[in-house]
Amino acid sequence: VLGMEAMAQAAMALLGTDRIPVFEDVQLVRPVAVPPGRSTTIRVAALVRGPETVELVLRDASTGFAADHFRAVCRFGTEPDLRPRLSLNNGARLQLEPSDLYGGLLFHRGRFRRLEGYRHLEATACLAEIGADGSTSWFGRWLPSELVLGDAGARDAAIHGIQACIPHATLLPTGVDRIVTGLLAASEPLVLAARERSHNGDEFVYDLEILDALGGVRERWEGLRLHAVQRIDPPEAWRAALLAPYVERRLEEILPGRHIHVSISGGGSGSGDLSHRPDGKPDRQISRSHAGDLVLEVAGDGRIGCDLEPVTGRGEEVWRDLLGDGFALAELIVRERGESRDAAATRVWTAIESLKKAGVPHGAPLVLDRAAAAAAADTDGWLLLRSGDLRIGTYLGPVRELSGPAALAVLLEAAG
């Protein structure tokens, strides 16, 4: 965001204008890293390509100014269209505090910690609140303090606010198709609205809008490209709001080819966000499970089943009666995974319940899936089970709203 500011200042000075440019074909090829306690020097080169067009590159002393770190085209003279395009549910703030985000999921510190909460969060979209910060000084006291693009910290928060949609992998921006920039005032709260356009493997493409308190668009990013660079360890305890996008993302990895929507809401009711066909029926299959005040809801094509249960201590005979033939599977998981009997049995119990909800006859075989997908999944609390052509992704982890460890299962038909 500070590289954008530097390029905008150079382009505006070169053309002798105070108009804010539209950025196009932004390429973030190399990061500009400043070691703690050290400094670096950047160089911006700008070339007029037309009456209202400036091509820019940003280079850094770390590479001897011999490589382009950032590249972009700034265009002037066109009135930007800032009518809202993204429509998202704007409800009450979710139970997700800044302390649940920064220091774990998000590495940002100091003046860049601007996210205050989320009003909507799922794997492919979010609506987040960005706090005002009118006191931060970005430059030395003897240097000009004006930022032609306004609040750089809010702009950065709008980018890293998308991270909660992919809570298991650190994302870094690599480019943007087009940015209709605005002057972001540091003294007013803002709202991020973002929706996924596409993703392929570790590459994610999002559109985002930065809104004012009344819903007016201050800035729009079209085709923001994000690259997942490393895995993020699961938190000590999941907030339900973060667990839902995590489950959806991991299921897409474990069971490729299946497109589902996962939500976990409080208050004892489902999300209510599903669309319907003209006859009034949902356009996808739905399965729900209640645990305490939480509701797990899974929607998708084909047979669907899900279950969410807190891990509960029970005696061996009780588990034998509850699980039937599934008790042997739970004992196998205990031996091979080192899980407690209660944890492994609760995991199997959720799988059995998901089979029931999918309409599978009682007593259907349930076995540990030894496919390659299972081998990749069984390192972070995930385990893949199988019943015929049905696959059941199961997860075991602590959930804060359930005051301890919980197991969940999502059943899907094999793709194809």
Side-chain angles (χ1 to χ4, degrees):
V1 293
L2 291 175
M4 282 179 58
E5 174 69 26
M7 289 192 284
Q9 289 191 20
M12 293 167 68
L14 186 59
L15 292 187
T17 180
D18 58 1
R19 291 174 297 168
I20 297 176
V22 170
F23 283 78
E24 295 180 354
D25 193 22
V26 179
Q27 301 176 49
L28 308 174
V29 184
R30 296 169 178 262
V32 176
V34 185
R38 304 283 297 279
S39 65
T40 191
T41 300
I42 61 170
R43 178 180 295 168
V44 179
L47 180 64
V48 174
R49 289 295 191 185
E52 304 284 354
T53 304
V54 180
E55 184 179 351
L56 301 108
V57 298
L58 186 147
R59 298 169 181 150
D60 181 40
S62 66
T63 52
F65 307 111
D68 295 341
H69 287 245
F70 303 160
R71 291 195 291 265
V73 173
C74 283
R75 296 194 187 277
F76 298 83
T78 58
E79 188 66 27
D81 177 9
L82 287 176
R83 290 173 295 180
R85 296 180 184 175
L86 300 179
S87 176
L88 295 171
N89 283 345
N90 189 358
R93 185 185 288 186
L94 304 177
Q95 289 189 342
L96 192 60
E97 301 300 324
S99 58
D100 299 319
L101 303 168
Y102 291 109
L105 176 67
L106 299 171
F107 58 80
H108 307 75
R109 294 184 293 178
R111 68 190 70 187
F112 290 102
R113 291 193 173 190
R114 299 286 294 281
L115 289 175
E116 294 191 339
Y118 286 80
R119 302 177 191 171
H120 179 89
L121 177 60
E122 56 181 284
T124 57
C126 66
L127 196 67
E129 299 174 357
I130 300 172
D133 179 16
S135 61
T136 294
S137 176
W138 289 92
F139 306 111
R141 60 183 299 184
W142 306 115
L143 296 173
S145 61
E146 180 184 4
L147 293 170
V148 298
L149 300 181
D151 190 350
R155 187 171 284 108
D156 188 79
I159 301 171
H160 72 244
I162 298 172
Q163 178 69 73
C165 296
I166 306 101
H168 66 299
T170 299
L171 303 175
L172 292 180
T174 60
V176 196
D177 293 342
R178 189 168 184 263
I179 308 172
V180 181
T181 46
L183 181 61
L184 302 182
S187 59
E188 68 171 341
L190 298 167
V191 175
L192 157 71
R195 186 180 296 280
E196 183 180 289
R197 182 189 294 184
S198 64
H199 89 263
N200 182 15
D202 290 335
E203 301 292 334
F204 301 82
V205 181
Y206 270 77
D207 295 326
L208 71 87
E209 293 175 346
I210 302 175
L211 313 172
D212 61 26
L214 299 178
V217 178
R218 291 298 183 91
E219 186 164 296
R220 174 180 294 115
W221 292 48
E222 301 170 4
L224 168 63
R225 298 185 295 281
L226 301 164
H227 180 72
V229 294
Q230 64 182 16
R231 292 282 173 165
I232 299 175
D233 293 332
E236 293 184 4
W238 284 101
R239 283 285 191 185
L242 273 178
L243 181 59
Y246 169 72
V247 170
E248 183 172 329
R249 294 292 186 184
R250 289 295 282 125
L251 284 170
E252 287 185 353
E253 295 175 347
I254 297 167
L255 299 168
R258 295 304 312 272
H259 301 290
I260 61 169
H261 175 70
V262 177
S263 70
I264 303 177
S265 56
S269 61
S271 67
D273 296 336
L274 298 174
S275 58
H276 293 74
R277 300 184 318 211
D279 61 5
K281 295 181 179 180
D283 59 4
R284 292 183 292 176
Q285 297 296 314
I286 308 168
S287 180
R288 293 188 180 95
S289 174
H290 293 72
D293 289 332
L294 297 181
V295 180
L296 167 66
E297 184 174 271
V298 180
D301 299 326
R303 280 197 284 184
I304 292 284
C306 72
D307 194 51
L308 173 65
E309 300 285 346
V311 173
T312 304
R314 294 184 171 97
E316 178 179 341
E317 291 305 315
V318 176
W319 279 123
R320 285 183 182 273
D321 291 340
L322 283 173
L323 301 182
D325 293 340
F327 184 78
L329 174 58
E331 291 290 276
L332 175 63
I333 294 173
V334 169
R335 294 193 299 271
E336 295 198 351
R337 303 262 308 196
E339 295 178 5
S340 70
R341 174 179 288 146
D342 290 324
T346 305
R347 185 195 289 272
V348 173
W349 175 251
T350 62
I352 292 173
E353 287 297 301
S354 69
L355 286 167
K356 291 180 182 178
K357 293 176 181 178
V360 177
H362 177 71
L366 181 63
V367 298
L368 192 63
D369 194 304
R370 290 298 188 185
D378 65 3
T379 58
D380 60 353
W382 286 90
L383 195 61
L384 191 63
L385 307 179
R386 175 170 55 85
S387 181
D389 63 350
L390 302 174
R391 300 293 184 270
I392 307 169
T394 66
Y395 177 70
L396 182 69
V399 180
R400 191 168 303 180
E401 288 85 349
L402 297 178
S403 302
L408 64 80
V410 177
L411 175 149
L412 302 168
E413 285 185 294

